[in-house]
Amino acid sequence: MMETVSTNRAFGGVQGVYRHASAVCAIDMTFSVYVPPHAPGAELPVVWYLSGLTCTHANVTEKGEYRRLCAELGLIFVAPDTSPRGDGVADDPEGAYDFGLGAGFYVDATQQPFATHYHMWSYVTEELPALVAAEFPADMARQSIMGHSMGGHGALTIGLTFPDRFKSVSAFAPIVAPSQVPWGQKALSGYLGDDRTAWRRHDAVALIEDGARIADLLVDQGEADPFLAEQLRPDLLDAACRAAGIPLTLRLQPGYDHSYYTISTFMEDHLRWHSARL
């Protein structure tokens, strides 16, 4: 059962925030959906947006500046949360921002206490798409996926895992090789344990090395991003795509950082990229 938290008119469409009881996360989950103006009975393509560390659905909903373009292009825009939340949901014992609440990393945790609720992979790839298909005028044969930072990691790994489902994939400042950087090593070991072979299906560079393929890929990365050298490493994705023959449009943007000022600046380019492939 889906509960409507709020709706607002925007560019002729409806921006909604919704809540439902998630079976896979065993807690209520909140997400946002923008439905553009459309003819009665029409089914519209869907763009999934996965957010980064510390974020909820609200960050892109309030700062992403996507609605005008989605209205123009006829795209449904879906923004899930980044982790389960609520009473009894485990968090980092030291309250760190890069693990636990707000940092689900789009995996299904196997390590306790996180295995009880942290099933963001199944939530984003199975449960929420079924709900969107049932409740909104969505053409699930036409889907694309994008994300920022940790959400860029999620978009890449999900897109590479389900290339027949997602017609296009893009990312802003993604964590491309979590097995090789501190954010990813902390999250993958904490959620999945120390067996690094289990990490590979949640690492975009490793997935490409292991044979995963997509038609092409768009990535925007700010050159003034403070996380660029240590955590994001787009050079590793570039090398993997070159070796695999995957066309990668990697745009290094001078002066841009890791914030939603950057995302909102290049959001139009990404939505037009997806629309052309949907």
Side-chain angles (χ1 to χ4, degrees):
M1 190 74 176
M2 187 180 76
E3 171 192 353
T4 299
V5 176
S6 65
T7 57
N8 296 92
R9 198 77 172 163
F11 296 97
V14 175
Q15 176 65 66
V17 176
Y18 307 93
R19 183 184 299 117
H20 72 115
S22 168
V24 299
C25 294
I27 199 79
D28 285 356
M29 296 290 289
T30 302
F31 63 100
S32 77
V33 179
Y34 177 72
V35 178
H38 60 281
E43 292 189 341
L44 308 176
V46 180
V47 176
W48 293 86
Y49 179 94
L50 305 185
S51 294
L53 290 167
T54 76
C55 293
T56 71
H57 69 281
N59 296 76
V60 70
T61 305
E62 297 170 1
K63 302 176 183 178
E65 300 185 23
Y66 56 84
R67 279 171 286 268
R68 178 182 63 82
L69 259 294
C70 285
E72 175 189 326
L73 301 171
L75 302 173
I76 292 175
F77 192 97
V78 182
D81 203 344
T82 52
S83 79
R85 301 173 193 271
D87 293 341
V89 176
D91 195 8
D92 185 280
E94 298 178 356
Y97 75 92
D98 57 356
F99 189 71
L101 296 181
F105 243 81
Y106 304 101
V107 303
D108 285 347
T110 59
Q111 305 300 300
Q112 290 295 356
F114 302 98
T116 302
H117 296 289
Y118 283 74
H119 298 146
M120 292 304 295
W121 177 271
S122 292
Y123 180 69
V124 170
T125 65
E126 299 174 14
E127 186 176 38
L128 190 55
L131 184 63
V132 168
E135 298 289 345
F136 299 94
D139 180 356
M140 303 305 279
R142 292 185 292 160
Q143 298 183 71
S144 68
I145 192 164
M146 62 195 297
H148 169 234
S149 194
M150 178 187 71
H153 141 77
L156 294 178
T157 57
I158 291 170
L160 285 161
T161 302
F162 301 103
D164 294 334
R165 181 188 306 183
F166 296 100
K167 306 299 184 185
S168 52
V169 183
S170 76
F172 303 97
I175 305 168
V176 305
S179 301
Q180 301 184 52
V181 301
W183 274 344
Q185 290 165 349
K186 178 178 181 178
L188 295 179
S189 62
Y191 294 134
L192 302 178
D194 294 330
D195 180 5
R196 285 180 172 249
T197 59
W199 298 10
R200 295 189 68 83
R201 65 186 293 259
H202 295 292
D203 182 310
V205 168
L207 281 166
I208 293 169
E209 291 173 349
D210 291 346
R213 297 292 182 265
I214 50 178
D216 52 13
L217 179 60
L218 171 63
V219 172
D220 273 300
Q221 172 63 63
E223 289 187 339
D225 190 323
F227 305 113
L228 173 58
E230 183 181 24
Q231 304 282 13
L232 305 178
R233 300 295 308 276
D235 56 297
L236 297 176
L237 180 65
D238 186 37
C241 286
R242 288 178 185 274
I246 298 173
L248 167 64
T249 301
L250 173 59
R251 308 193 305 183
L252 299 177
Q253 304 291 358
Y256 284 89
D257 59 18
H258 201 68
S259 73
Y260 269 86
Y261 294 109
T262 299
I263 295 167
S264 63
T265 298
F266 301 106
M267 178 65 78
E268 177 172 350
D269 292 350
H270 284 244
L271 290 174
R272 291 196 184 281
W273 164 279
H274 292 298
S275 181
R277 289 156 178 77
L278 290 168

